[in-house]
Amino acid sequence: MERHEDAPCRFCGLVPVAPGITSATRVVVRSEAMQTVLKRASRFAASDAPVAIVGETGTGKEVVARILHANSPRAAHPFVAVNVAALPADLLESELFGHGKGAFTGAATARRGLFEAADKGTLFLDEIGDMPLALQAKLLRALQDGEIRRLGESESFAVDVRVVCATHRDLSQRVREGAFREDLLYRLRVLTLEVPPLRDRRDDILLLAHRFLADEHTHVTGFTRAARKRLLAHSWPGNVRELQNAIRHGAALATTQEIDEDDLPAEILRHTGPAGATTAPRGLRTLAEVEREHILYVLDACKGSQSEAARVLGIARNTLWRKLREYAA
Ligand SMILES: Nc1ncnc2c1ncn2[C@@H]1O[C@H](COP(=O)(O)OP(=O)(O)OP(=O)(O)O)[C@@H](O)[C@H]1O
Ligand SMILES: [Mg+2]
């Protein structure tokens, strides 16, 4: 693995570099909340036990998983990431476990799966809370036995893989809903890391904003005071990813060397976080109008996930569902 000049963090001892991240390879960990997460991760790095990383959408769960891998004894071996919610169960099964020749129509040759590709390294199972139930039993067996079997083959063989998984869902709730196996939950949740939402680590906002701005490689090099104020006041329901998009938007619109508040996306000008309230009211609107707009905005930032949006909004899921039905009427 490529090594980096970056010094390990004095606080947690981890090198805050996550190879493979598209633009910024330097990860921002200024806030105490984020440093605490990485300090905990440093204690997990040497172990082979599974790690579950939880946190709202866009908080940096995959970034943390990559740091964990890069600082583990497995660092010289592959980090293989797969979104287990993105594929239907049968495709996912052959993707994860591979298949033998003739295992199904079209399987002209044998193919190794991602477990094999990640041998001696780390397999990152993203969106584990949405993994098809049918496959959860097979994953549990692989974790328990350290062995896998390709689809359509009868022989099992050992793989040396550390499994790290991530979810924006509440896994205990998924178990109660009957969508997630309890035995798998206990197996995966041996070690947990909780990545805090951006609104709970405001110290990171401006540093992240500058990092993302530098990644744009444009003539724009900073922010006006008003823009900084907006960035700090916003509640960031889409977390770091939303901030990244906002900076991209700002850099594209800025006409001077600094991003001004008007260059930021409209949502950021309309919304302020609970701690914010610095935005001047734009016209007089009813509470219901503001509520509707905010709910739809949060839902959008949560990529349409009603359960996640309800959690961010601090309301029951069926309350959210009822309100959405009213809006659609
Ligand atoms: N601390 C950080 N420093 C620099 N970039 C970061 C940091 N945290 C997140 N990012 C960037 O923000 C984006 C979202 O991060 P990531 O994909 O890890 O989030 P996630 O929690 O896995 O999101 P999702 O729940 O949607 O899968 C990525 O482009 C990532 O590079
Ligand atoms: Mg992710």
Side-chain angles (χ1 to χ4, degrees):
M1 192 200 68
E2 95 197 42
R3 225 41 231 184
H4 6 72
E5 307 95 64
D6 300 82
C9 165
R10 266 178 300 144
F11 184 71
C12 66
L14 288 185
V15 179
V17 174
I21 295 180
T22 40
S23 50
T25 45
R26 276 293 269 120
V27 176
V28 170
V29 278
R30 169 177 283 184
S31 64
E32 219 177 297
M34 208 52 199
Q35 295 211 12
T36 303
V37 172
L38 287 201
K39 190 176 180 189
R40 201 170 149 86
S42 74
R43 304 211 308 269
F44 295 170
S47 155
D48 276 341
V51 178
I53 304 175
V54 296
E56 287 176 18
T57 181
T59 43
K61 297 184 290 297
E62 180 159 347
V63 166
V64 170
R66 287 179 186 274
I67 292 181
L68 192 68
H69 171 76
N71 287 274
S72 80
R74 297 172 171 270
H77 299 283
F79 174 91
V80 176
V82 55
N83 181 336
V84 298
L87 295 173
D90 48 350
L91 263 182
L92 180 64
E93 181 170 11
S94 84
E95 200 62 26
L96 285 178
F97 301 101
H99 61 76
K101 187 176 170 184
F104 47 83
T105 326
T109 52
R111 187 164 168 259
R112 64 179 200 154
L114 297 178
F115 261 98
E116 284 174 75
D119 198 29
K120 298 193 176 59
T122 304
L123 180 61
F124 177 58
L125 303 176
D126 203 1
E127 311 290 0
I128 190 79
D130 298 287
M131 186 179 208
L133 251 180
L135 262 189
Q136 293 179 18
K138 193 155 177 181
L139 173 62
L140 181 65
R141 267 201 307 281
L143 289 172
Q144 272 167 348
D145 308 342
E147 286 194 345
I148 58 154
R149 191 161 52 81
R150 285 182 180 174
L151 225 80
E153 289 187 355
S154 49
E155 295 286 297
S156 299
F157 54 94
V159 280
D160 171 18
V161 169
R162 185 197 203 172
V163 170
V164 174
C165 61
T167 182
H168 64 278
R169 289 185 181 275
D170 175 347
L171 286 179
S172 305
Q173 172 70 20
R174 294 292 283 164
V175 169
R176 284 193 292 277
E177 288 165 3
F180 205 81
R181 293 180 66 111
E182 194 169 16
D183 43 11
L184 180 60
L185 172 71
Y186 291 127
R187 180 57 63 163
L188 289 173
R189 236 183 14 188
V190 176
L191 305 173
T192 58
L193 290 170
E194 200 170 332
V195 187
L198 192 54
R199 64 182 171 280
D200 290 346
R201 46 180 166 118
R202 292 185 186 270
D203 289 357
D204 288 339
I205 294 176
L206 292 182
L207 201 61
L208 279 165
H210 279 282
R211 174 76 31 86
F212 294 143
L213 185 55
D215 287 342
E216 291 300 307
H217 303 290
T218 64
H219 65 285
V220 191
T221 51
F223 301 88
T224 63
R225 200 163 168 268
R228 286 200 299 272
K229 219 168 142 187
R230 294 284 191 177
L231 294 175
L232 287 170
H234 188 54
S235 61
W236 301 110
N239 294 293
V240 183
R241 185 176 296 106
E242 185 189 0
L243 175 61
Q244 199 170 22
N245 292 339
I247 302 307
R248 215 163 268 159
H249 187 283
L253 290 198
T255 48
T256 70
Q257 282 199 323
E258 291 188 323
I259 292 179
D260 203 353
E261 57 180 340
D262 291 338
D263 303 326
L264 295 170
E267 305 82 52
I268 291 169
L269 304 181
R270 271 200 300 269
H271 292 83
T272 49
T278 51
T279 313
R282 311 190 141 205
L284 295 175
R285 290 179 298 153
T286 66
L287 193 56
E289 281 166 345
V290 174
E291 182 187 88
R292 177 180 190 275
E293 193 180 319
H294 185 63
I295 285 178
L296 294 177
Y297 172 64
V298 170
L299 186 65
D300 188 44
C302 295
K303 295 193 264 182
S305 163
Q306 291 190 15
S307 51
E308 176 68 3
R311 221 168 61 76
V312 172
L313 289 162
I315 59 175
R317 202 172 154 185
N318 54 5
T319 309
L320 175 63
W321 182 77
R322 192 168 36 75
K323 285 180 187 291
L324 291 175
R325 215 178 41 168
E326 280 166 21
Y327 302 155

mmCIF file of all heavy atoms in Angstrom, residues 21 24 26-28 34 56-63 126-127 168 201 208 212 240-241 244 303, ligand 1:
data_model
loop_
_atom_site.group_PDB
_atom_site.id
_atom_site.type_symbol
_atom_site.label_atom_id
_atom_site.label_comp_id
_atom_site.label_asym_id
_atom_site.label_seq_id
_atom_site.Cartn_x
_atom_site.Cartn_y
_atom_site.Cartn_z
ATOM 1 N N ILE A 21 -10.270 7.238 -1.498
ATOM 2 C CA ILE A 21 -11.325 8.251 -1.505
ATOM 3 C C ILE A 21 -11.090 9.123 -2.725
ATOM 4 O O ILE A 21 -9.960 9.523 -2.997
ATOM 5 C CB ILE A 21 -11.291 9.104 -0.234
ATOM 6 C CG1 ILE A 21 -11.611 8.213 0.945
ATOM 7 C CG2 ILE A 21 -12.279 10.244 -0.316
ATOM 8 C CD1 ILE A 21 -11.595 8.938 2.224
ATOM 9 N N ALA A 24 -10.534 14.218 -1.901
ATOM 10 C CA ALA A 24 -9.653 14.487 -0.762
ATOM 11 C C ALA A 24 -9.195 13.174 -0.159
ATOM 12 O O ALA A 24 -10.013 12.357 0.213
ATOM 13 C CB ALA A 24 -10.417 15.278 0.287
ATOM 14 N N ARG A 26 -7.043 13.413 2.342
ATOM 15 C CA ARG A 26 -6.840 13.788 3.738
ATOM 16 C C ARG A 26 -8.204 13.932 4.376
ATOM 17 O O ARG A 26 -9.058 14.644 3.889
ATOM 18 C CB ARG A 26 -6.106 15.137 3.831
ATOM 19 C CG ARG A 26 -4.625 15.058 3.737
ATOM 20 C CD ARG A 26 -3.949 14.365 4.917
ATOM 21 N NE ARG A 26 -3.555 15.256 5.990
ATOM 22 C CZ ARG A 26 -4.003 15.165 7.228
ATOM 23 N NH1 ARG A 26 -4.877 14.273 7.559
ATOM 24 N NH2 ARG A 26 -3.577 15.983 8.154
ATOM 25 N N VAL A 27 -8.389 13.237 5.454
ATOM 26 C CA VAL A 27 -9.701 13.251 6.089
ATOM 27 C C VAL A 27 -9.693 14.245 7.240
ATOM 28 O O VAL A 27 -8.755 14.297 8.023
ATOM 29 C CB VAL A 27 -10.024 11.830 6.593
ATOM 30 C CG1 VAL A 27 -11.332 11.814 7.335
ATOM 31 C CG2 VAL A 27 -10.051 10.862 5.422
ATOM 32 N N VAL A 28 -10.753 15.042 7.302
ATOM 33 C CA VAL A 28 -10.826 16.069 8.338
ATOM 34 C C VAL A 28 -11.342 15.475 9.647
ATOM 35 O O VAL A 28 -12.430 14.906 9.689
ATOM 36 C CB VAL A 28 -11.753 17.221 7.871
ATOM 37 C CG1 VAL A 28 -12.041 18.177 9.016
ATOM 38 C CG2 VAL A 28 -11.118 17.940 6.701
ATOM 39 N N MET A 34 -15.244 13.630 16.403
ATOM 40 C CA MET A 34 -14.671 12.791 15.349
ATOM 41 C C MET A 34 -13.362 12.157 15.824
ATOM 42 O O MET A 34 -13.063 11.012 15.498
ATOM 43 C CB MET A 34 -14.448 13.676 14.116
ATOM 44 C CG MET A 34 -14.510 12.963 12.816
ATOM 45 S SD MET A 34 -15.992 11.982 12.626
ATOM 46 C CE MET A 34 -15.437 10.912 11.317
ATOM 47 N N GLU A 56 -25.801 8.630 10.405
ATOM 48 C CA GLU A 56 -26.726 9.125 9.387
ATOM 49 C C GLU A 56 -26.076 9.098 8.006
ATOM 50 O O GLU A 56 -24.848 9.014 7.897
ATOM 51 C CB GLU A 56 -27.109 10.576 9.705
ATOM 52 C CG GLU A 56 -28.046 10.705 10.880
ATOM 53 C CD GLU A 56 -28.323 12.172 11.222
ATOM 54 O OE1 GLU A 56 -28.078 13.055 10.385
ATOM 55 O OE2 GLU A 56 -28.784 12.409 12.344
ATOM 56 N N THR A 57 -26.896 9.257 7.012
ATOM 57 C CA THR A 57 -26.404 9.265 5.645
ATOM 58 C C THR A 57 -25.383 10.399 5.430
ATOM 59 O O THR A 57 -25.553 11.504 5.949
ATOM 60 C CB THR A 57 -27.596 9.393 4.662
ATOM 61 O OG1 THR A 57 -27.083 9.382 3.359
ATOM 62 C CG2 THR A 57 -28.398 10.666 4.850
ATOM 63 N N GLY A 58 -24.304 10.079 4.726
ATOM 64 C CA GLY A 58 -23.318 11.104 4.372
ATOM 65 C C GLY A 58 -22.379 11.554 5.479
ATOM 66 O O GLY A 58 -21.648 12.525 5.306
ATOM 67 N N THR A 59 -22.347 10.850 6.612
ATOM 68 C CA THR A 59 -21.506 11.304 7.729
ATOM 69 C C THR A 59 -20.036 10.924 7.544
ATOM 70 O O THR A 59 -19.161 11.467 8.207
ATOM 71 C CB THR A 59 -21.985 10.719 9.075
ATOM 72 O OG1 THR A 59 -22.299 9.341 8.895
ATOM 73 C CG2 THR A 59 -23.187 11.460 9.616
ATOM 74 N N GLY A 60 -19.766 9.928 6.685
ATOM 75 C CA GLY A 60 -18.371 9.507 6.487
ATOM 76 C C GLY A 60 -18.119 8.093 6.988
ATOM 77 O O GLY A 60 -17.003 7.759 7.380
ATOM 78 N N LYS A 61 -19.127 7.242 6.930
ATOM 79 C CA LYS A 61 -18.966 5.865 7.441
ATOM 80 C C LYS A 61 -17.943 5.100 6.602
ATOM 81 O O LYS A 61 -17.108 4.370 7.129
ATOM 82 C CB LYS A 61 -20.320 5.132 7.447
ATOM 83 C CG LYS A 61 -21.340 5.780 8.381
ATOM 84 C CD LYS A 61 -22.631 4.999 8.459
ATOM 85 C CE LYS A 61 -23.463 5.044 7.189
ATOM 86 N NZ LYS A 61 -23.927 6.409 6.835
ATOM 87 N N GLU A 62 -18.020 5.288 5.281
ATOM 88 C CA GLU A 62 -17.060 4.572 4.429
ATOM 89 C C GLU A 62 -15.645 5.116 4.634
ATOM 90 O O GLU A 62 -14.672 4.353 4.625
ATOM 91 C CB GLU A 62 -17.479 4.681 2.952
ATOM 92 C CG GLU A 62 -16.500 3.960 2.056
ATOM 93 C CD GLU A 62 -17.064 3.591 0.686
ATOM 94 O OE1 GLU A 62 -18.293 3.673 0.482
ATOM 95 O OE2 GLU A 62 -16.257 3.210 -0.173
ATOM 96 N N VAL A 63 -15.551 6.410 4.848
ATOM 97 C CA VAL A 63 -14.249 7.023 5.131
ATOM 98 C C VAL A 63 -13.641 6.374 6.378
ATOM 99 O O VAL A 63 -12.465 6.003 6.394
ATOM 100 C CB VAL A 63 -14.438 8.552 5.337
ATOM 101 C CG1 VAL A 63 -13.201 9.170 5.952
ATOM 102 C CG2 VAL A 63 -14.758 9.221 4.014
ATOM 103 N N ASP A 126 -21.610 -2.318 2.790
ATOM 104 C CA ASP A 126 -22.320 -1.057 3.012
ATOM 105 C C ASP A 126 -23.828 -1.305 2.982
ATOM 106 O O ASP A 126 -24.303 -2.191 2.274
ATOM 107 C CB ASP A 126 -21.901 -0.074 1.917
ATOM 108 C CG ASP A 126 -22.107 1.364 2.360
ATOM 109 O OD1 ASP A 126 -22.546 1.588 3.504
ATOM 110 O OD2 ASP A 126 -21.828 2.266 1.554
ATOM 111 N N GLU A 127 -24.566 -0.508 3.722
ATOM 112 C CA GLU A 127 -26.030 -0.604 3.803
ATOM 113 C C GLU A 127 -26.468 -1.989 4.277
ATOM 114 O O GLU A 127 -27.433 -2.558 3.756
ATOM 115 C CB GLU A 127 -26.697 -0.286 2.447
ATOM 116 C CG GLU A 127 -26.224 0.984 1.758
ATOM 117 C CD GLU A 127 -26.662 2.263 2.449
ATOM 118 O OE1 GLU A 127 -27.355 2.181 3.488
ATOM 119 O OE2 GLU A 127 -26.272 3.336 1.976
ATOM 120 N N HIS A 168 -27.107 3.227 7.846
ATOM 121 C CA HIS A 168 -27.697 4.440 8.411
ATOM 122 C C HIS A 168 -28.972 4.069 9.159
ATOM 123 O O HIS A 168 -29.675 4.913 9.677
ATOM 124 C CB HIS A 168 -28.003 5.471 7.307
ATOM 125 C CG HIS A 168 -29.031 4.993 6.330
ATOM 126 N ND1 HIS A 168 -28.709 4.171 5.284
ATOM 127 C CD2 HIS A 168 -30.364 5.190 6.260
ATOM 128 C CE1 HIS A 168 -29.809 3.908 4.596
ATOM 129 N NE2 HIS A 168 -30.828 4.503 5.175
ATOM 130 N N ARG A 201 -20.833 18.312 15.198
ATOM 131 C CA ARG A 201 -19.379 18.555 15.168
ATOM 132 C C ARG A 201 -19.090 19.744 14.259
ATOM 133 O O ARG A 201 -18.429 19.642 13.238
ATOM 134 C CB ARG A 201 -18.604 17.307 14.741
ATOM 135 C CG ARG A 201 -19.171 16.599 13.533
ATOM 136 C CD ARG A 201 -18.335 15.378 13.199
ATOM 137 N NE ARG A 201 -18.999 14.501 12.289
ATOM 138 C CZ ARG A 201 -18.550 14.193 11.068
ATOM 139 N NH1 ARG A 201 -17.445 14.686 10.620
ATOM 140 N NH2 ARG A 201 -19.219 13.352 10.311
ATOM 141 N N LEU A 208 -13.651 21.321 6.581
ATOM 142 C CA LEU A 208 -14.131 20.473 5.475
ATOM 143 C C LEU A 208 -14.427 21.339 4.253
ATOM 144 O O LEU A 208 -14.072 20.983 3.126
ATOM 145 C CB LEU A 208 -15.408 19.730 5.884
ATOM 146 C CG LEU A 208 -15.233 18.460 6.713
ATOM 147 C CD1 LEU A 208 -16.554 18.054 7.339
ATOM 148 C CD2 LEU A 208 -14.677 17.312 5.870
ATOM 149 N N PHE A 212 -12.817 20.821 0.599
ATOM 150 C CA PHE A 212 -13.600 20.539 -0.611
ATOM 151 C C PHE A 212 -13.386 21.632 -1.663
ATOM 152 O O PHE A 212 -13.348 21.354 -2.858
ATOM 153 C CB PHE A 212 -15.082 20.386 -0.280
ATOM 154 C CG PHE A 212 -15.379 19.185 0.576
ATOM 155 C CD1 PHE A 212 -16.359 19.221 1.562
ATOM 156 C CD2 PHE A 212 -14.677 17.997 0.402
ATOM 157 C CE1 PHE A 212 -16.612 18.103 2.352
ATOM 158 C CE2 PHE A 212 -14.921 16.879 1.186
ATOM 159 C CZ PHE A 212 -15.901 16.937 2.161
ATOM 160 N N VAL A 240 -21.840 15.401 5.600
ATOM 161 C CA VAL A 240 -20.638 15.840 4.872
ATOM 162 C C VAL A 240 -20.869 15.835 3.360
ATOM 163 O O VAL A 240 -20.396 16.706 2.636
ATOM 164 C CB VAL A 240 -19.420 14.957 5.242
ATOM 165 C CG1 VAL A 240 -18.166 15.463 4.546
ATOM 166 C CG2 VAL A 240 -19.205 14.941 6.748
ATOM 167 N N ARG A 241 -21.656 14.871 2.883
ATOM 168 C CA ARG A 241 -21.897 14.827 1.435
ATOM 169 C C ARG A 241 -22.653 16.065 0.986
ATOM 170 O O ARG A 241 -22.359 16.636 -0.064
ATOM 171 C CB ARG A 241 -22.663 13.558 1.057
ATOM 172 C CG ARG A 241 -22.805 13.464 -0.466
ATOM 173 C CD ARG A 241 -23.451 12.206 -0.964
ATOM 174 N NE ARG A 241 -22.675 11.028 -0.672
ATOM 175 C CZ ARG A 241 -22.986 10.145 0.271
ATOM 176 N NH1 ARG A 241 -24.055 10.317 1.008
ATOM 177 N NH2 ARG A 241 -22.241 9.088 0.474
ATOM 178 N N GLN A 244 -20.247 18.887 0.826
ATOM 179 C CA GLN A 244 -19.395 18.751 -0.364
ATOM 180 C C GLN A 244 -20.132 19.290 -1.604
ATOM 181 O O GLN A 244 -19.568 20.040 -2.398
ATOM 182 C CB GLN A 244 -19.090 17.269 -0.546
ATOM 183 C CG GLN A 244 -17.922 16.950 -1.410
ATOM 184 C CD GLN A 244 -17.554 15.457 -1.319
ATOM 185 O OE1 GLN A 244 -18.374 14.620 -0.946
ATOM 186 N NE2 GLN A 244 -16.325 15.136 -1.638
ATOM 187 N N LYS A 303 -32.074 10.888 1.004
ATOM 188 C CA LYS A 303 -32.241 10.084 -0.213
ATOM 189 C C LYS A 303 -33.558 9.321 -0.222
ATOM 190 O O LYS A 303 -33.606 8.149 -0.599
ATOM 191 C CB LYS A 303 -31.052 9.120 -0.369
ATOM 192 C CG LYS A 303 -29.721 9.857 -0.596
ATOM 193 C CD LYS A 303 -28.626 8.921 -1.060
ATOM 194 C CE LYS A 303 -27.778 8.439 0.048
ATOM 195 N NZ LYS A 303 -26.697 7.613 -0.174
HETATM 196 N N1 LIG B 1 -13.961 13.632 7.612
HETATM 197 C C1 LIG B 1 -13.982 13.745 6.281
HETATM 198 N N2 LIG B 1 -12.993 14.374 5.618
HETATM 199 C C2 LIG B 1 -13.023 14.501 4.269
HETATM 200 N N3 LIG B 1 -14.012 14.032 3.496
HETATM 201 C C3 LIG B 1 -15.027 13.384 4.088
HETATM 202 C C4 LIG B 1 -15.056 13.197 5.513
HETATM 203 N N4 LIG B 1 -16.188 12.519 5.840
HETATM 204 C C5 LIG B 1 -16.841 12.302 4.682
HETATM 205 N N5 LIG B 1 -16.149 12.811 3.626
HETATM 206 C C6 LIG B 1 -16.598 12.788 2.220
HETATM 207 O O1 LIG B 1 -18.020 12.921 2.245
HETATM 208 C C7 LIG B 1 -18.665 12.021 1.347
HETATM 209 C C8 LIG B 1 -19.582 11.073 2.133
HETATM 210 O O2 LIG B 1 -18.781 10.193 2.925
HETATM 211 P P1 LIG B 1 -19.102 8.612 2.991
HETATM 212 O O3 LIG B 1 -19.417 8.071 1.645
HETATM 213 O O4 LIG B 1 -18.001 7.961 3.766
HETATM 214 O O5 LIG B 1 -20.434 8.697 3.874
HETATM 215 P P2 LIG B 1 -21.420 7.523 4.327
HETATM 216 O O6 LIG B 1 -21.693 7.748 5.770
HETATM 217 O O7 LIG B 1 -20.842 6.215 3.912
HETATM 218 O O8 LIG B 1 -22.719 7.892 3.478
HETATM 219 P P3 LIG B 1 -23.981 6.935 3.072
HETATM 220 O O9 LIG B 1 -24.740 6.688 4.348
HETATM 221 O O10 LIG B 1 -24.761 7.782 2.125
HETATM 222 O O11 LIG B 1 -23.405 5.692 2.470
HETATM 223 C C9 LIG B 1 -17.540 11.308 0.622
HETATM 224 O O12 LIG B 1 -17.303 11.969 -0.593
HETATM 225 C C10 LIG B 1 -16.335 11.448 1.541
HETATM 226 O O13 LIG B 1 -15.118 11.454 0.837
#
